[in-house]
Amino acid sequence: YKIPACVRLLDNAHFRLGEALRPDHSSWLQKVKGALTHCMASYVLPDFFQPETAVCATICYEGSDAEVKEQMQNIQKLAKRHDGMVLGPKVGKAGYDLTYMIAYLRDFAMTYHILGESFETFAPWSKIVSLIAATKERLIMEHSKRLLPGVPFIGCRITQLYHEGACLYFYLCMSFEGVNRASEVFAELEHAARQEILKQGGSLSHHHGLGKLRSSFAHERSSPGFQRALGSIKEAIDKDNVFGARNGLYAMASNHC
């Protein structure tokens, strides 16, 4: 059967972040409505729907009316089979709005001494759960080892699905109040996370590429034959490095120019 055009799964950290970012009710009527909704939800929802463990998936459908109806019915069956609940388009739209807001939230958070960034990877289905858990544990350990202030925010969401696996997006935020060389410290945490991702069977990148940030991993993750082939292309096209390439496999070589 036809599958949805897009499925994004938010972990509990992202779910709670979205709840925390909801604006306060401006009128007494909205406050009463919100209180009643919360009270009814706690009464209707099963005990296992807890704010500390709940996750949320936003799903986008495309196609004709009949195709969309079929997709929605299939999702409802899957949700019921796995003790999930379909919450409707309003919650789904709010999930997508959070995706668009994150980049702006990062800049806004810096005014409150919060530094944050995302990094992605691809992992096969058999490695996803263990990879996410191990990467989060590694980041908590690295954060604690450096005696950094506060508790880091570490979230992960699945953004793209394939038959072989999925793209994982990690979000890391830390307080940098009173931290010297905060950007360097953050880069060290992200480097450690990437080490753990590779150790757990994830890829060096899904679509962001290597750039300068992940260039230190390039040589150990690329075969000698591939490195020679890429070097030969560079030698033939831009022998004098007019383009100033310092990304990926070219990053280390350019340091010796």
Side-chain angles (χ1 to χ4, degrees):
Y1 53 84
K2 191 176 178 65
I3 62 175
C6 181
V7 178
R8 297 188 175 192
L9 175 64
L10 308 177
D11 67 1
N12 182 253
H14 278 98
F15 174 77
R16 286 186 289 150
L17 175 63
E19 291 294 299
L21 292 174
R22 283 189 178 186
D24 293 332
H25 297 300
S26 56
S27 67
W28 67 269
L29 184 61
Q30 289 176 321
K31 290 179 181 179
V32 171
K33 181 180 177 181
L36 288 173
T37 301
H38 181 77
C39 181
M40 290 185 65
S42 62
Y43 177 78
V44 174
L45 293 177
D47 293 337
F48 52 77
F49 276 97
Q50 297 297 326
E52 296 79 15
T53 57
V55 299
C56 185
T58 55
I59 302 169
C60 181
Y61 306 99
E62 289 183 356
S64 65
D65 290 344
E67 289 173 334
V68 169
K69 184 177 180 180
E70 180 187 3
Q71 293 172 56
M72 293 179 68
Q73 289 175 344
N74 289 329
I75 292 297
Q76 289 171 352
K77 291 176 183 177
L78 286 171
K80 185 176 181 180
R81 185 187 306 169
H82 298 283
D83 296 324
M85 180 173 292
V86 178
L87 299 178
K90 186 176 181 180
V91 177
K93 185 178 182 302
Y96 269 91
D97 288 344
L98 177 61
T99 300
Y100 301 136
M101 283 193 299
I102 280 178
Y104 303 100
L105 287 173
R106 176 186 59 189
D107 296 340
F108 176 74
M110 289 186 70
T111 62
Y112 293 91
H113 300 96
I114 299 294
L115 195 59
E117 187 55 276
S118 64
F119 48 95
E120 43 76 15
T121 186
F122 174 86
W125 290 112
S126 59
K127 300 285 186 180
I128 286 177
V129 174
S130 58
L131 186 152
I132 292 173
T135 304
K136 287 185 176 183
E137 289 176 8
R138 175 72 180 272
L139 282 169
I140 292 172
M141 181 192 73
E142 296 288 341
H143 185 277
S144 177
K145 186 170 68 176
R146 290 167 175 78
L147 302 178
L148 297 171
V151 178
F153 172 87
I154 308 166
C156 184
R157 61 189 178 97
I158 292 177
T159 61
Q160 284 136 291
L161 307 182
Y162 304 91
H163 293 295
E164 300 83 2
C167 172
L168 308 177
Y169 252 89
F170 284 91
Y171 286 88
L172 169 64
C173 298
M174 62 169 243
S175 171
F176 65 89
E177 188 170 12
V179 177
N180 295 324
R181 303 178 297 105
S183 293
E184 293 180 31
V185 172
F186 189 92
E188 291 172 1
L189 294 179
E190 185 174 343
H191 187 86
R194 182 62 60 180
Q195 286 180 325
E196 192 64 35
I197 287 171
L198 295 174
K199 179 182 175 183
Q200 297 297 328
S203 67
L204 186 52
S205 176
H206 173 260
H207 61 274
H208 282 183
L210 303 186
K212 297 178 179 64
L213 193 61
R214 287 172 286 277
S215 61
S216 60
F217 296 101
H219 283 266
E220 63 183 78
R221 301 295 293 184
S222 303
S223 68
F226 177 76
Q227 293 180 40
R228 288 195 298 271
L230 209 59
S232 297
I233 294 173
K234 179 69 167 65
E235 181 75 11
I237 296 176
D238 187 22
K239 181 178 180 180
D240 298 323
N241 200 27
V242 174
F243 291 133
R246 288 182 173 84
N247 295 333
L249 289 170
Y250 302 133
M252 295 180 67
S254 63
N255 292 334
H256 303 292
C257 294

